[in-house]
Amino acid sequence: MPPHAYLDGPALRALTSAGHPSFVPPAVDPADKPRDRIWELAENLHCSIVGTCLTNAEARAILAKLGRADARTISEHRLHGEIVQIAGRKDGGGRLLQKTLDRRHEREVERFDEAHTADAVRALWKISLERGEIPGAYWAAITHPATDWPLVQDIFGEVHMLSHLVGQSNRADIRRLRHLEDELSRRDEAIAARDERIMALMRERDDLGKRTRAIETERHIPSTTSIEPPSTRGLEVRLARETAHAAALEERLAVLSGAAERLSADLAAEIARRSAVEGELAALEAALDVPSTDTPDDRASGRLDGRIILYVGGRQRQVANLRRFVEARGGRLLNHDGGIEDNLCLLAGLVGQADLAVFPVSCVSHEASLHLKRYCEAQAKPFHPVRSASLASFMHIVMPLANAP
């Protein structure tokens, strides 16, 4: 076992943080010993291993096999804590947890078995980190017999920081969705209030119409006596006043109806924007989700298989992130800045090389978008506008292409 396997979490942290001079790892040949078992590792690694390498469904299945009646109903937080406790007990469920992790990440464990030194393990870990294939590589590297304590610290630190980055991204998306939900709720309330007011005005208009007709009927009733009919001057004044009031109500009703139509259009736009944001969030979650080892085809894990994507416009500092994302999935990204420095005449040749053209509508010139559409239609190449120049909007378009046959 590596040096850290002989110490529990507090003792290990005390030695490493204080730089204890007597802590000298014994020399062990990796070829002479098997992979470490989870109960042999330092306790402070169990939490990250369970949280990164095991799904909630697999964790609940382990508790069910151990006879826990509440395995299907226990909260996710308590579920995580129970499995972390089991990880340190060889005969209390640790063996079952070890078998589950080995079976889930069998392919990565076999790939790491080709490494015989800590440097070779580190190189394989870096490749998996760049590809975003974290869970299986983390389990295979941490339990590898050649892994020493400095390498464990580096790998643990990188996974720890990745969890922070993913949490920040999810929190930002959740805040944005909640803000949109609140805004939509306020729009719904405003529209409902407008509708209620319009209905009240319509009822008032109908009442005025009835009163007006009654007055007109009263004016035209013939006299049944020889007495001279009274003057109709008062009735005419009243009729004029009611007619003016009805005309004012009609005008106000027209104004409110126009406002209601505008609110309905704004609501439809907000719903469309929310749908786009939810799609981008789903694309982010799909990109962060690592497929199981039973996946028979690399395409199911989001591989682009040599596809070429043309990205027109956007921000140059963001294009590097887009290129890393595409190349990590086996694709290639061509870029044209939309006419700032690159000549628009170059677009025709770039479209001819690409399998798909993408441009952010919020960060590209009108002229460049028109040229791109014309060239794509002439060469029968698909093109997609995206909502913004962000990586999430780009992934929302590209991930379905990666999963397509």
Side-chain angles (χ1 to χ4, degrees):
M1 292 180 289
H4 58 276
Y6 295 95
L7 300 175
D8 59 10
L12 182 61
R13 288 192 294 272
L15 285 174
T16 56
S17 61
H20 200 286
S22 63
F23 183 64
V24 179
V28 179
D29 186 356
D32 296 338
K33 71 183 190 70
R35 291 173 49 246
D36 296 321
R37 303 294 185 258
I38 193 168
W39 59 82
E40 298 171 342
L41 301 175
E43 291 181 359
N44 61 327
L45 297 174
H46 291 166
C47 179
S48 67
I49 292 174
V50 171
T52 304
C53 306
L54 194 72
T55 66
N56 286 337
E58 291 167 335
R60 292 185 188 278
I62 290 174
L63 285 186
K65 290 180 181 179
L66 293 176
R68 286 289 297 271
D70 59 346
R72 302 303 176 188
T73 58
I74 190 173
S75 69
E76 292 185 357
H77 180 263
R78 287 189 56 200
L79 174 68
H80 176 80
E82 293 286 346
I83 299 299
V84 170
Q85 293 296 322
I86 288 173
R89 302 196 298 265
K90 175 181 179 180
D91 297 323
R95 292 178 182 270
L96 182 58
L97 176 59
Q98 178 78 25
K99 290 179 180 179
T100 301
L101 289 170
D102 285 343
R103 183 171 58 253
R104 174 175 173 77
H105 304 296
E106 180 180 2
R107 184 171 61 182
E108 288 299 312
V109 170
E110 291 177 353
R111 188 165 69 90
F112 273 73
D113 283 344
E114 299 176 1
H116 299 291
T117 64
D119 290 338
V121 174
R122 184 187 299 274
L124 289 175
W125 164 252
K126 290 297 184 183
I127 293 173
S128 298
L129 185 63
E130 291 175 357
R131 293 176 178 174
E133 301 170 352
I134 306 301
Y138 186 46
W139 172 246
I142 287 293
T143 59
H144 196 283
T147 300
D148 53 15
W149 180 237
L151 180 55
V152 169
Q153 288 179 307
D154 292 343
I155 296 174
F156 175 81
E158 289 171 335
V159 171
H160 181 71
M161 293 309 299
L162 278 175
S163 67
H164 285 308
L165 293 175
V166 173
Q168 290 172 359
S169 175
N170 285 340
R171 285 195 297 273
D173 290 327
I174 290 171
R175 283 197 302 271
R176 183 166 53 177
L177 285 176
R178 287 178 177 172
H179 173 72
L180 287 175
E181 289 173 351
D182 293 340
E183 188 173 348
L184 287 175
S185 178
R186 288 193 296 271
R187 293 289 180 93
D188 290 340
E189 293 174 358
I191 290 174
R194 296 276 182 171
D195 290 342
E196 184 177 353
R197 180 57 179 160
I198 289 172
M199 294 301 297
L201 289 172
M202 292 175 67
R203 288 192 296 270
E204 187 175 350
R205 180 197 61 185
D206 294 340
D207 291 340
L208 283 173
K210 292 178 181 179
R211 289 163 59 187
T212 301
R213 288 191 296 271
I215 292 172
E216 290 177 345
T217 302
E218 184 179 349
R219 286 182 58 194
H220 292 88
I221 294 177
S223 177
T224 58
T225 66
S226 60
I227 300 174
E228 184 180 353
S231 173
T232 59
R233 178 61 181 170
L235 290 176
E236 291 174 350
V237 172
R238 182 180 173 187
L239 177 60
R241 185 170 60 248
E242 296 292 351
T243 302
H245 190 189
L249 285 177
E250 290 284 358
E251 183 179 354
R252 187 174 181 187
L253 179 61
V255 172
L256 289 176
S257 297
E261 291 177 359
R262 288 192 296 274
L263 282 174
S264 297
D266 291 344
L267 178 61
E270 289 295 338
I271 291 174
R273 187 172 68 176
R274 176 180 177 180
S275 177
V277 171
E278 289 176 345
E280 292 170 8
L281 179 59
L284 276 172
E285 292 173 347
L288 293 173
D289 184 26
V290 178
S292 66
T293 58
D294 299 329
T295 302
D297 194 341
D298 285 342
R299 251 183 249 148
S301 62
R303 301 294 298 171
L304 289 171
D305 296 331
R307 290 183 175 93
I308 300 175
I309 299 172
L310 172 60
Y311 188 76
V312 180
R315 302 180 181 89
Q316 289 304 310
R317 64 177 180 275
Q318 185 71 358
V319 170
N321 294 331
L322 304 183
R323 179 170 284 109
R324 282 194 296 271
F325 172 78
V326 172
E327 291 177 352
R329 283 154 180 78
R332 179 184 170 199
L333 183 73
L334 303 178
N335 175 239
H336 190 287
D337 64 9
I340 299 175
E341 294 182 2
D342 298 336
N343 195 316
L344 289 176
C345 296
L346 299 175
L347 273 177
L350 293 174
V351 168
Q353 301 177 50
D355 298 305
L356 169 70
V358 179
F359 64 94
V361 295
S362 63
C363 195
V364 69
S365 68
H366 183 65
E367 183 181 7
S369 63
L370 289 178
H371 277 73
L372 178 62
K373 291 178 182 178
R374 185 165 63 250
Y375 293 144
C376 287
E377 290 173 353
Q379 301 182 41
K381 295 297 181 71
F383 63 93
H384 288 279
V386 295
R387 187 176 62 88
S388 68
S390 66
L391 176 60
S393 294
F394 182 78
M395 290 169 57
H396 183 45
I397 294 298
V398 172
M399 290 305 291
L401 175 66
N403 293 324

